[in-house]
Amino acid sequence: MVKNTGRAGYLQIADDLRAQIRGGSLAPGTPLPSTAQLAEQYDASLSVVKMAVGILRNEGLVIGQQGKGVFVTDPDQTPAAGDTGGEVAELRAVVQDLSVRLARVEEQLATSTTPRSGRSSR
Amino acid sequence: MVKNTGRAGYLQIADDLRAQIRGGSLAPGTPLPSTAQLAEQYDASLSVVKMAVGILRNEGLVIGQQGKGVFVTDPDQTPAAGDTGGEVAELRAVVQDLSVRLARVEEQLATSTTPRSGRSSR
DNA sequence: TGAGCCAACTAGGTTAACTATGTTGGCTAC
DNA sequence: GTAGCCAACATAGTTAACCTAGTTGGCTCA
């Protein structure tokens, strides 16, 4: 399953699993196969599989529970790894502000343009 | 150097190096100390250091050259792992555009509602 | 039936060893 | 001076082994 494409085996596995997660084959909350099973499926060592899963964990796509397994995270509740979360939060705040202001403007326009005919054809 | 904070050693090292890179201590183009040196500095095994560096490599913060070393990447030229960087930049631009346009509309409204006293005291 | 024990299974971290590949500097020969 | 060789150094990937910690299910006993 791990091909000689020059791309490291652990990255290929991570790519494959990520594609499954992104593509919906592995839905949020779904447990991934165990490390042992993945090693068998991908014909790789446990260590390589662990590395691959570690990559996805750092990306926030999966979360592991000792003794239980590794589960696909819910994208709506994933803070997003790294500082991106902070940037996204910032953008959300700005968008929220714009939304409020725009609603206000729309309201003003709705009440102020009604009596003025000729201004409604924008 | 790797503390018993419950956070994995390799993650601590990655955090530390990331902070140095983000903080400017390690400028773009700068070579990181070698794996052997980092292992000594952080009192960890080669493998742990490699994992830490691997994390940073996946984040696009560093790039390695065999036989030479690992170098800090230039943030302006780093695509940022995945599409998140590009998407955030794009969203910023859109938000900025909306901000300007909304401010303009708000200004127009302010001037067109001036003759109507009682409506400006929002 | 419920509680306790334990084996099997699981994730995650750490370590050492090995391999492949590339870089660099010193040394030698021409 | 230049080219070639090689040891030392370096990155990156792979593997196996070990350890800690947690989960689960089956079995035994009260």
Side-chain angles (χ1 to χ4, degrees), chain A residues 30-112:
Chain A
T30 307
L32 263 59
S34 70
T35 307
Q37 290 172 341
L38 289 173
E40 196 172 317
Q41 288 178 22
Y42 289 105
D43 190 31
S45 73
L46 289 174
S47 302
V48 167
V49 168
K50 283 192 210 171
M51 285 182 77
V53 172
I55 294 280
L56 299 181
R57 187 170 62 245
N58 278 325
E59 292 178 7
L61 291 184
V62 299
I63 190 166
Q65 196 171 351
Q66 285 189 350
K68 200 165 183 177
V70 177
F71 301 85
V72 179
T73 54
D74 191 328
D76 292 335
Q77 296 179 6
T78 308
D83 290 334
T84 313
E87 288 180 300
V88 172
E90 181 188 337
L91 284 173
R92 283 192 194 281
V94 176
V95 167
Q96 172 72 10
D97 180 52
L98 290 177
S99 201
V100 170
R101 286 162 62 191
L102 183 58
R104 199 177 297 146
V105 167
E106 287 173 332
E107 186 183 346
Q108 290 178 5
L109 280 178
T111 55
S112 66

Side-chain angles (χ1 to χ4, degrees), chain B residues 63-105:
Chain B
I63 190 168
Q65 198 170 352
Q66 285 187 350
K68 198 164 183 177
V70 177
F71 301 85
V72 180
T73 55
D74 192 328
D76 292 336
Q77 298 180 1
T78 308
D83 293 333
T84 310
E87 288 181 316
V88 171
E90 180 185 338
L91 285 173
R92 283 193 188 281
V94 173
V95 166
Q96 173 69 11
D97 182 48
L98 290 176
S99 242
V100 170
R101 288 160 58 191
L102 184 57
R104 198 177 298 144
V105 171

Side-chain angles (χ1 to χ4, degrees), chain B residues 5-115:
Chain B
T5 62
R7 185 155 169 88
Y10 78 98
L11 288 176
Q12 285 183 46
I13 296 174
D15 292 341
D16 194 44
L17 292 174
R18 189 187 299 110
Q20 287 180 51
I21 292 169
R22 287 261 161 83
S25 305
L26 287 172
T30 306
L32 263 60
S34 70
T35 309
Q37 290 171 340
L38 289 173
E40 196 172 318
Q41 287 178 24
Y42 288 105
D43 191 31
S45 73
L46 290 175
S47 302
V48 167
V49 168
K50 283 193 212 168
M51 283 182 77
V53 173
I55 296 279
L56 299 181
R57 188 172 60 241
N58 279 325
E59 292 178 6
L61 292 184
V62 300
I63 190 168
Q65 198 170 352
Q66 285 187 350
K68 198 164 183 177
V70 177
F71 301 85
V72 180
T73 55
D74 192 328
D76 292 336
Q77 298 180 1
T78 308
D83 293 333
T84 310
E87 288 181 316
V88 171
E90 180 185 338
L91 285 173
R92 283 193 188 281
V94 173
V95 166
Q96 173 69 11
D97 182 48
L98 290 176
S99 242
V100 170
R101 288 160 58 191
L102 184 57
R104 198 177 298 144
V105 171
E106 287 174 329
E107 187 182 347
Q108 290 176 2
L109 274 180
T111 54
S112 68
T113 56
T114 303

